[in-house]
């Protein structure tokens, strides 16, 4: 299994355009079942939706972003990358414990 993390889009299902639609279609039309997509989804602090959910067989995780103007994009990207790394750390720990 190959884990592919997608950050930088506002998330799926696509609600905006270009990149979000690309990510939506990429996960929808997955040809190789050995690929597991993980998609970061941007949410506001006042959004109380679930932390993780599945869409098009992709593992989607919400990244909460404060209202800080133009810096929101940078904050979101860094937070999404940090969550991706933390998730990978958990996978590595579980895998090494099984050995």
């Amino acid at each position: 299994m190959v884990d592919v993390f997608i950050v930088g889009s506002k998330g799926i299902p696509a609600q905006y355009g270009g990149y979000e639609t690309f990510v939506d279609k990429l996960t929808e039309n997955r040809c190789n079942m050995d690929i597991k997509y993980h998609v970061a989804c941007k949410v506001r602090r006042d959004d109380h939706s679930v932390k993780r959910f599945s869409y098009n067989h992709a593992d989607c995780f919400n990244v909460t972003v404060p209202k800080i103007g133009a810096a929101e994009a940078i904050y979101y990207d860094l937070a999404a990358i940090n969550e991706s790394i933390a998730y990978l750390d958990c996978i590595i720990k579980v895998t090494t414990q099984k050995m």
Side-chain angles (χ1 to χ4, degrees), residues 2 6 9 11 31 38 43 49 64 66 74 90 98:
V2 175
I6 301 172
S9 78
C31 295
H38 305 270
V43 296
S49 56
T64 305
I74 296 168
C90 289
K98 289 181 180 179

Side-chain angles (χ1 to χ4, degrees), residues 9-53:
S9 78
K10 293 200 174 30
I12 55 176
Q15 298 175 350
Y16 295 94
Y19 187 53
E20 286 75 21
T21 301
F22 167 75
V23 173
D24 199 340
K25 294 299 180 185
L26 177 70
T27 58
E28 179 183 354
N29 299 306
R30 178 178 61 157
C31 295
N32 186 338
M33 296 302 140
D34 288 333
I35 297 174
K36 178 67 176 181
Y37 290 109
H38 305 270
V39 181
C41 301
K42 180 181 171 185
V43 296
R44 294 274 181 218
R45 286 207 189 275
D46 55 352
D47 184 343
H48 300 292
S49 56
V50 295
K51 183 73 174 159
R52 289 192 110 77
F53 61 97

